[in-house]
Amino acid sequence: MSRCKDIDRLEEPFRSAIKWLIYMLDREGIPLMLFETWRSHETQEKYYARRVTRARAGDSPHNHGFAADFVLDKEKIDLPLKEWRGKMVPDAWDTTKKSSIETWGKYGELIEKLSLTWGGRWYFKDLPHVEMVDWQRMKDNGV
């Protein structure tokens, strides 16, 4: 299972929106970086089994090139450490520090200005997640 962060695996017009989002994040000095874009069905099922996602293979916009995840960039923001696989590493998903909370909020505002859907508005908060509005319709229309 390997993580894909290739923007070219995204479908238009979402690909262009993500390129614009990356430009805006950089211009505004918002310390986030692209973490994942397209996801294979195999990877989706592994994430589902580990309870990383609620969507099964084929049911995620990641599987169709209409979603991306961003994380806090440890090179640009001070992050708390967390244990991962026996090591202490910066928590790129932090929601405890004021600077992290502010960063996620600015990210969400940019996403919504681009008329995309932000996972931070969902009842089961998925702050890193951004997806194309009505991605199911676009997928069904063969976009």
Side-chain angles (χ1 to χ4, degrees):
M1 173 176 70
S2 64
R3 179 172 45 89
C4 174
K5 59 181 186 176
D6 182 357
I7 293 173
D8 291 331
R9 295 299 303 262
L10 299 174
E11 296 292 334
E12 288 295 353
F14 186 66
R15 178 186 316 129
S16 292
I18 291 302
K19 287 179 179 180
W20 186 249
L21 177 60
I22 291 168
Y23 167 78
M24 293 298 294
L25 290 169
D26 185 56
R27 189 182 93 173
E28 300 291 324
I30 299 171
L32 289 163
M33 58 185 264
L34 185 61
F35 181 75
E36 186 172 35
T37 57
W38 179 84
R39 221 179 261 163
S40 71
H41 285 209
E42 176 188 3
T43 297
Q44 189 69 34
E45 280 301 308
K46 287 180 181 179
Y47 284 177
Y48 181 81
R50 292 184 359 220
R51 298 181 185 213
V52 172
T53 182
R54 294 170 173 246
R56 304 290 307 243
D59 295 335
S60 170
H62 284 282
N63 302 141
H64 305 282
F66 292 115
D69 294 321
F70 286 75
V71 294
L72 298 163
D73 186 341
K74 68 181 181 181
E75 303 299 324
K76 298 178 181 175
I77 187 172
D78 184 39
L79 297 171
L81 298 177
K82 74 172 190 176
E83 186 176 345
W84 187 72
R85 295 185 178 177
K87 292 192 236 178
M88 297 304 287
V89 297
D91 184 2
W93 292 265
D94 179 55
T95 58
T96 62
K97 291 186 74 171
K98 183 180 178 192
S99 58
S100 298
I101 294 166
E102 290 171 353
T103 296
W104 290 120
K106 290 175 186 175
Y107 172 61
E109 289 173 14
L110 281 178
I111 288 169
E112 291 170 347
K113 282 180 183 175
L114 292 171
S115 298
L116 300 171
T117 299
W118 179 40
R121 296 279 185 226
W122 299 338
Y123 72 93
F124 59 90
K125 306 279 186 246
D126 187 357
L127 299 177
H129 186 83
V130 55
E131 66 183 42
M132 187 78 193
V133 172
D134 291 333
W135 67 269
Q136 297 95 334
R137 185 176 51 82
M138 296 185 82
K139 170 191 69 101
D140 293 341
N141 289 334
V143 172

